Amino acid sequence: MLRVSVHAGPQKDASRYNLLAWLDIGYEMLAPIADYKVVLFKSGIGATPPYTLASYPRWSASLWDLTARAIALGLNSDERSETVPEVTHPRKGCAFASEISALIEHLPGGQAIQRRTLASASIRQVGRRRGSYEAHFDEHTMKRQRTEPFLFTPEVLRPAELLLHACLVRLTGTQVMPARPGLCVPNSLEFEGLRYVPIHGLVEPARTGFRNWLAEFSEPPLEHEGAPLGLAPEPLYVKFLQSAI
C-alpha cells in the first residue's frame, strides 16, 4: 500500500502531530493495468468511503501523477472523475498556507513499521503575496524538480487540493490534469533466437524500477553493443509489470 501524507510545515518536521490529510492507495487488482482502492482522509472532516482509481498503467509515470488522480477522485465526491475541481476565489484575500509538505511511503502489507519513503514534496509561499507558491519534488526514480511559481487562491484551503495543484504544475507546468500515461511497452529485439527488452528504451520510472527488480530477484542484464544498459528477457519484463510493487 502507498500512503501519501500531507503535513503542516517543512518536511523535516513531518509527524503525526501536524498531519493535515492523507491518502491510502492499495491494489484492488495487481496487473500491468491495475485497479487501485483509495481512501482520502481530511483532518477535522474524516475519511471518504473507499473509491476506485481504475485501469491505471503501472510503472508508467511519476508517483505524483498517481497521487494527483487519486486526490482529484477523492475531492470530486459526486462524480468521482479525475478532473481538477473548480476553485472558488474570494472577492478579498484567500485561504493560504506558508508551507506544507508531503510524503509518499510504501507500507508493505499496510504495516507502518516497515514503511519506506519513495517521494517527498515541499510547497512554500513565494514572496509576500498570499496564494503564490513554489514546490520542490523528490522521487526515488526521478530527478529532483522545482516548479515555477504558481497561484492557488481558494476561498477555503484544502491541503490535499493544494498538493494536487502543485503536482499538476510539476507534471505539466500548468494546473491542468495531464493525459493518462500509456503502459511502458518498449520495442523488443531478437538476439540468439530469443526476444529481449533493451533497458535503455524504458521510460522512468520503469527503467530504474526494472533494473532494481532484476538486481534483487533475477539475473543481471545481458551486455549488448546496441543497448548501453543491457538486455533483459522479454518474459522477465512482463513478470515485472505483473508483480513488482
Side-chain angles (χ1 to χ4, degrees):
M1 183 182 76
L2 295 179
R3 172 160 295 173
V4 183
S5 56
V6 185
H7 302 264
Q11 181 187 329
K12 66 180 180 63
D13 296 331
S15 74
R16 62 189 178 92
Y17 299 108
N18 53 25
L19 192 59
L20 300 173
W22 76 79
L23 285 157
D24 282 344
I25 307 173
Y27 289 115
E28 185 172 30
M29 182 187 71
L30 179 58
I33 305 294
D35 292 341
Y36 294 89
K37 188 69 75 176
V38 187
V39 172
L40 171 61
F41 182 93
K42 294 172 279 187
S43 181
I45 298 175
T48 65
Y51 53 92
T52 300
L53 196 168
S55 303
Y56 188 83
R58 302 175 66 241
W59 296 99
S60 60
S62 166
L63 290 172
W64 298 111
D65 182 273
L66 177 67
T67 297
R69 296 176 194 283
I71 293 174
L73 284 166
L75 296 178
N76 289 314
S77 57
D78 293 335
E79 54 187 25
R80 293 294 184 220
S81 74
E82 295 178 16
T83 57
V84 182
E86 185 175 349
V87 178
T88 301
H89 301 280
R91 292 184 178 181
K92 293 183 179 180
C94 67
F96 72 101
S98 56
E99 182 171 3
I100 69 169
S101 54
L103 299 172
I104 301 179
E105 298 170 295
H106 179 223
L107 280 61
Q111 298 297 315
I113 58 174
Q114 300 176 16
R115 66 179 61 194
R116 178 168 63 100
T117 300
L118 303 178
S120 61
S122 297
I123 306 167
R124 307 185 187 103
Q125 182 175 299
V126 178
R128 296 183 178 180
R129 182 175 181 181
R130 294 181 176 181
S132 178
Y133 299 98
E134 178 183 86
H136 298 249
F137 287 90
D138 284 291
E139 191 169 348
H140 71 308
T141 60
M142 303 278 189
K143 293 182 179 179
R144 178 175 294 180
Q145 285 191 266
R146 182 183 69 183
T147 70
E148 294 295 324
F150 64 94
L151 287 176
F152 179 64
T153 56
E155 189 171 41
V156 177
L157 181 67
R158 298 186 290 184
E161 188 175 23
L162 173 54
L163 175 60
L164 165 62
H165 281 256
C167 288
L168 298 178
V169 177
R170 178 249 184 262
L171 294 166
T172 69
T174 69
Q175 295 179 57
V176 176
M177 187 71 73
R180 270 195 166 217
L183 184 65
C184 180
V185 181
N187 294 323
S188 62
L189 58 84
E190 186 172 331
F191 181 65
E192 297 182 348
L194 299 173
R195 302 301 299 181
Y196 287 86
V197 170
I199 295 176
H200 74 280
L202 301 174
V203 299
E204 294 291 15
R207 183 191 306 151
T208 296
F210 187 41
R211 294 179 74 188
N212 292 342
W213 185 83
L214 286 174
E216 185 172 359
F217 295 107
S218 187
E219 60 198 53
L222 179 69
E223 293 186 4
H224 188 276
E225 62 180 7
L229 298 178
L231 302 174
E234 190 174 54
L236 277 182
Y237 182 64
V238 174
K239 184 177 181 181
F240 162 77
L241 289 178
Q242 291 172 336
S243 61
I245 296 175

